[in-house]
């Protein structure tokens, strides 16, 4: 890569980039705020996405990444009928075999959300497609993610299928690349708190910290609220919008493509069928701006609404002019099959803990009393740049969950805990 790019990376990230460019299979990991996504963008910018596609764990992530889903690329579908039937279908599909045989390698984002059975089935398909008994048929595989944040989806409450527990993990020969420096948090005391929470430990310093951040809810405070469920977030956003005196403006999303693909995009797209805004409402950007005026997660206030342009005052005081953007759904071969066009904005009074993944917030309100997933509390707290930005409505020790298998896995990697 060019020296100019390396100057934009920390020494740790620059070393990680060298590993990514080594030609080996790589597991890129690190805690929240360590810059995994930023580094992958550096790695991918000079690569042909047809030869080295990014595969997302979910449809919604694929639309935001401008990539394809892991399941569609390998022809897995929803794995109806189980592993063997899924493998039989995909391994006899000439389109799947041609697609997998043609690429140099793949990047699998949010690897923690991919169940072991899906990863193993994909690897078997790659061997058939590439007519090779080498791991992944000789295809290069880069997996990215943090197992302490997003668990795989399980069926019927069964034990989580962490893919690092599969024999395939060792067989793949992943070179582990750990980003240990938190690029988001500069407060050493708060980093220590996050390290404990990441391990599911409610230590005395965690208890003291949480108690010190307890607050009575203040409706007039416009800091972002994090909720565990989507309906809670949507209700709060609409309630806040309704309280503004200005007239509501409804902007219909424009959909292009075949209806069956449009329906998928309606379900997985980052923007709804209608974007509802008012002058002076609080908004969040949903994508990175090519001109670098904002990034996914930047917040601001709507100051002017026109037919094809919205003026947003960012939190740093700078006004930016926002045009409509196109978000596209790709098929398994990387062809755009449906698109939605609208302003890349959403109301920012509230969001879900899961949707806040990757965002950086200066302050937030959250209730940590009824969380149920490993890593849920860690994801919520690690959005903050500083512990002083937390306004806590409540908390329970039972909400601070870490999967013992994940803890043991990272211990085996000798992963540094500070900052994670």
């Amino acid at each position: 890569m060019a020296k100019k790019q390396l100057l934009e990376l920390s020494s740790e990230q620059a070393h990680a980039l060298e590993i990514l460019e080594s030609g080996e299979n790589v597991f890129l990991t690190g805690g929240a705020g360590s810059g995994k996504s930023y580094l992958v963008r550096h790695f991918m910018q000079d690569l042909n996405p047809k030869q080295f596609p990014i595969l997302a764990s979910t449809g919604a992530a694929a639309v935001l990444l401008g990539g394809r889903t892991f399941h569609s690329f390998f022809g897995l579908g929803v794995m109806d009928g189980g592993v063997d039937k899924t493998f039989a279908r995909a391994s006899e599909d000439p389109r799947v075999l041609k697609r997998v045989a043609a690429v140099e390698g793949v990047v699998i984002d949010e690897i923690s959300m991919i169940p072991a059975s899906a990863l193993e089935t994909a690897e078997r398909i790659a061997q058939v497609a590439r007519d090779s008994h080498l791991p992944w048929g000789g295809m290069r595989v880069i997996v990215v993610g943090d197992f302490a944040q997003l668990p795989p989806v399980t069926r019927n409450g069964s034990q989580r299928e962490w893919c690092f527990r599969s024999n395939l993990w060792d067989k793949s020969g992943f070179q582990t690349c750990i980003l240990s420096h938190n690029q988001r948090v500069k407060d050493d005391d708060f980093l220590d708190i996050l390290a404990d929470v990441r391990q599911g430990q409610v230590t005395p310093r965690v208890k003291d910290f949480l108690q010190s951040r307890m607050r009575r809810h203040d409706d007039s405070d416009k800091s972002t609220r994090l909720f565990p469920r989507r309906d809670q977030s949507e209700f709060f956003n609409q309630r806040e919008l309704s309280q503004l005196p200005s007239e509501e403006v409804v902007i219909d999303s424009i959909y292009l493509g075949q209806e069956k693909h449009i329906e998928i995009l309606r379900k997985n797209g980052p923007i709804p069928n209608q974007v509802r805004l008012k002058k002076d409402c609080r908004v969040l950007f949903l994508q990175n701006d090519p001109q670098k005026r904002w990034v996914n997660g930047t917040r601001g206030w709507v100051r002017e609404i026109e037919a094809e342009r919205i003026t947003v005052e960012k939190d740093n005081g700078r006004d930016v002019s926002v045009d409509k953007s196109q978000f596209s759904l790709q098929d398994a071969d990387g062809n755009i099959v449906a698109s939605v066009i609208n302003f890349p904005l959403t109301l920012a009074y509230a969001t879900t803990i899961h949707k806040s993944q990757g965002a950086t917030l200066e302050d937030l309100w959250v209730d940590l009393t009824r969380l149920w997933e490993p890593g849920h509390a860690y994801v919520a707290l690690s959005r903050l740049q500083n512990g002083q930005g937390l306004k806590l409505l409540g908390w329970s020790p039972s909400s601070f969950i870490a999967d013992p298998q994940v803890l043991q896995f990272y211990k085996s990697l000798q992963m540094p805990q500070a900052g994670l």
Side-chain angles (χ1 to χ4, degrees):
M1 288 276 178
K3 291 182 180 179
K4 179 181 178 183
Q5 294 170 354
L6 292 177
L7 292 175
E8 299 174 9
L9 301 174
S10 67
S11 58
E12 180 182 65
Q13 290 173 323
H15 176 65
L17 184 60
E18 292 178 1
I19 296 175
L20 289 174
E21 294 176 336
S22 68
E24 300 293 332
N25 289 349
V26 177
F27 168 43
L28 176 64
T29 191
S34 60
K36 297 183 294 296
S37 297
Y38 181 73
L39 185 60
V40 169
R41 287 199 298 271
H42 268 269
F43 172 67
M44 292 296 298
Q45 61 187 5
D46 291 331
L47 295 178
N48 181 345
K50 292 284 188 181
Q51 288 295 312
F52 220 114
I54 293 183
L55 308 181
S57 56
T58 66
V63 173
L64 280 175
L65 284 171
R68 310 171 228 179
T69 67
F70 171 85
H71 283 71
S72 68
F73 180 80
F74 287 103
L76 304 182
V78 295
M79 298 192 69
D80 184 39
V83 168
D84 291 337
K85 287 187 178 179
T86 299
F87 171 73
R89 284 194 300 267
S91 61
E92 295 173 2
D93 188 331
R95 296 170 302 175
V96 173
L97 300 180
K98 180 180 179 181
R99 178 167 64 241
V100 176
V103 299
E104 176 186 342
V106 296
V107 174
I108 305 174
D109 196 35
E110 300 295 5
I111 183 62
S112 64
M113 297 185 71
I114 305 293
S117 57
L119 197 73
E120 291 166 353
T121 306
E123 194 265 348
R124 290 173 63 194
I125 291 165
Q127 287 186 330
V128 172
R130 302 168 78 89
D131 192 23
S132 170
H133 291 296
L134 291 172
W136 295 95
M139 177 176 66
R140 190 171 180 220
V141 179
I142 296 172
V143 297
V144 183
D146 178 15
F147 289 103
Q149 291 187 60
L150 295 172
V153 176
T154 57
R155 296 184 179 183
N156 304 320
S158 59
Q159 187 176 21
R160 287 184 173 83
E161 287 188 66
W162 297 111
C163 58
F164 60 77
R165 288 181 56 81
S166 167
N167 291 333
L168 174 60
W169 190 266
D170 291 333
K171 177 181 156 186
S172 297
F174 293 120
Q175 300 297 302
T176 299
C177 183
I178 302 169
L179 298 178
S180 60
H181 181 66
N182 194 307
Q183 304 289 330
R184 179 182 298 146
V185 180
K186 310 303 179 187
D187 178 350
D188 288 342
D189 290 338
F190 187 45
L191 285 174
D192 291 339
I193 299 296
L194 291 178
D196 290 347
V197 172
R198 178 185 172 87
Q199 297 180 73
Q201 296 179 355
V202 186
T203 59
R205 66 183 173 190
V206 170
K207 291 180 181 178
D208 290 344
F209 168 74
L210 295 174
Q211 286 302 124
S212 73
R213 304 314 304 164
M214 288 287 292
R215 298 290 184 270
R216 187 186 299 272
H217 190 246
D218 180 0
D219 276 332
S220 65
D221 186 331
K222 299 308 177 186
S223 302
T224 299
R225 272 71 173 172
L226 293 189
F227 292 101
R229 293 188 297 276
R230 186 175 66 178
D231 59 339
Q232 295 172 306
S233 171
E234 291 176 348
F235 176 83
F236 190 89
N237 274 325
Q238 292 305 314
R239 192 193 77 174
E240 291 298 300
L241 187 69
S242 68
Q243 293 177 3
L244 292 175
S246 50
E247 182 180 354
E248 182 175 314
V249 178
V250 179
I251 305 128
D252 291 322
S253 295
I254 300 170
Y255 290 90
L256 307 171
Q258 295 182 5
E259 188 58 35
K260 65 177 182 179
H261 298 307
I262 288 174
E263 282 305 310
I264 297 174
L265 193 56
R266 289 183 194 274
K267 179 180 179 181
N268 293 317
I271 50 180
N273 295 337
Q274 294 179 322
V275 174
R276 296 176 176 269
L277 303 172
K278 288 184 179 182
K279 187 176 181 296
D280 298 327
C281 72
R282 190 84 165 122
V283 289
L284 176 92
F285 285 88
L286 295 169
Q287 64 174 189
N288 296 317
D289 176 38
Q291 300 178 43
K292 300 184 178 180
R293 296 169 295 172
W294 59 78
V295 297
N296 184 7
T298 296
R299 295 185 296 169
W301 305 88
V302 170
R303 297 309 185 201
E304 188 175 355
I305 304 175
E306 302 174 68
E308 298 299 326
R309 185 170 290 114
I310 292 176
T311 301
V312 174
E313 179 187 343
K314 297 193 299 181
D315 281 357
N316 65 6
R318 179 187 175 189
D319 283 0
V320 290
S321 181
V322 186
D323 298 321
K324 290 182 177 179
S325 294
Q326 179 170 307
F327 297 86
S328 297
L329 175 70
Q330 297 183 17
D331 65 13
D333 294 312
N335 303 308
I336 294 176
V337 292
S339 297
V340 58
I341 300 170
N342 211 325
F343 292 104
L345 299 169
T346 189
L347 293 174
Y349 300 104
T351 189
T352 64
I353 294 174
H354 274 177
K355 279 195 173 182
S356 73
Q357 185 81 10
T360 298
L361 302 175
E362 293 183 6
D363 43 50
L364 63 87
W365 289 89
V366 67
D367 184 344
L368 301 178
T369 57
R370 297 183 183 88
L371 305 186
W372 62 92
E373 281 191 343
H376 227 169
Y378 174 63
V379 170
L381 295 179
S382 59
R383 300 309 97 209
L384 288 163
Q385 295 175 303
N386 188 299
Q388 299 306 306
L390 176 65
K391 297 153 189 176
L392 190 59
L393 295 173
W395 68 277
S396 168
S398 63
S399 291
F400 292 76
I401 309 166
D403 192 304
Q405 298 174 92
V406 171
L407 296 179
Q408 183 58 42
F409 172 65
Y410 277 114
K411 185 178 180 180
S412 73
L413 300 178
Q414 296 183 330
M415 189 171 190
Q417 291 301 319
L420 297 179

